[in-house]
Amino acid sequence: MPADTYRHRGMRRALVEELRRKGIRDEQVLLALGTVPRHLFFETAFEPHAYQDKAFPIGEGQTISQPYTVAYQTELLQVRPGERVLEIGTGSGYQCCVLLELTPHVFSIEYNQVLFERTARRLAALHRPAHLFCGDGSLGLPQHAPFDKILVTAGSPTLPRPLLRQLRVGGALVIPVGDEQTQRMMRVVRESEEEFSRQVLEEFRFVPLLGQAGWGK
């Protein structure tokens, strides 16, 4: 595993200041992004891109999300220490590691088998003990529900009902919803067993959420 040097830490500090200028205010979220070594989620040849505020391809038609997007979604999620969090779309594992800085109880599911195996090895090497699964994330993990928070890192055509059902009352779902080109970020809170409140926020562009409750297989 490549080193995390003083230079890397300095680049992370600069990235955190850039995110602060762009409007991220939650100091715990900023601390988490300043702690997780993003360059370790890149092939060595692409390391110069690691601390730029942009998304980057990771293979299998997927990307590691832009740091601003990671910070924005994480801030909306409002994770408290000890909460149980479900992440839909493990991808590179970077967002998962940011969540692990906020709570040790992170469950993450990845649709793509190749990415799942690669990321499982990476997180093991980084000693980040998330609960990782390979399968249809649009259906969540009902066997481990309920969750305090659910974060979806892919664009969905609708609010997936299986994920809503797996939220604890008082819990929140953060998910981009729209067509395959652009989505609006939504924050949904389960107010009671049958009632949900919705907040529609900024526009983003994510890879599609695959699966039965997303864009299909």
Side-chain angles (χ1 to χ4, degrees), residues 45-167:
F46 301 122
E47 186 180 300
H49 299 272
Y51 294 108
Q52 297 177 23
D53 188 25
K54 66 180 184 181
F56 198 82
I58 58 172
E60 301 298 312
Q62 305 297 306
T63 61
I64 181 171
S65 292
Q66 178 184 358
Y68 174 77
T69 304
V70 171
Y72 183 90
Q73 285 197 291
T74 308
E75 187 171 61
L76 279 179
L77 208 60
Q78 298 178 12
V79 178
R80 298 181 181 90
E83 287 190 325
R84 289 164 54 85
V85 177
L86 173 61
E87 178 194 32
I88 308 301
T90 315
S92 70
Y94 175 65
Q95 171 74 80
C96 183
C97 287
V98 170
L99 293 171
L100 283 167
E101 292 295 319
L102 303 174
T103 177
H105 309 297
V106 178
F107 297 74
S108 187
I109 182 167
E110 171 56 46
Y111 188 88
N112 184 282
Q113 182 74 35
V114 173
L115 281 183
F116 167 76
E117 293 176 359
R118 181 189 305 160
T119 299
R121 290 192 297 270
R122 176 182 291 122
L123 295 194
L126 290 171
H127 306 290
R128 296 300 205 276
H131 303 281
L132 302 181
F133 301 83
C134 186
D136 185 347
S138 73
L139 302 179
L141 288 172
Q143 67 273 34
H144 295 284
F147 297 97
D148 299 293
K149 303 290 166 60
I150 300 177
L151 177 63
V152 181
T153 64
S156 178
T158 59
L159 289 173
R161 291 183 61 82
L163 300 185
L164 294 174
R165 288 196 293 268
Q166 291 170 44
L167 269 181

Side-chain angles (χ1 to χ4, degrees), residues 14-29:
L15 175 61
V16 165
E17 289 308 311
E18 182 177 355
L19 297 176
R20 187 177 276 113
R21 288 194 299 272
K22 290 182 176 181
I24 303 300
R25 293 288 177 262
D26 189 315
E27 290 298 327
Q28 291 303 115
V29 171

Side-chain angles (χ1 to χ4, degrees), residues 111 136 138 157 209-217:
Y111 188 88
D136 185 347
S138 73
L209 175 67
L210 301 179
Q212 293 182 37
W215 288 101
K217 300 288 186 180

Side-chain angles (χ1 to χ4, degrees), residues 27-41:
E27 290 298 327
Q28 291 303 115
V29 171
L30 291 168
L31 178 62
L33 270 85
T35 301
V36 177
R38 192 169 185 255
H39 65 282
L40 299 184
F41 298 82

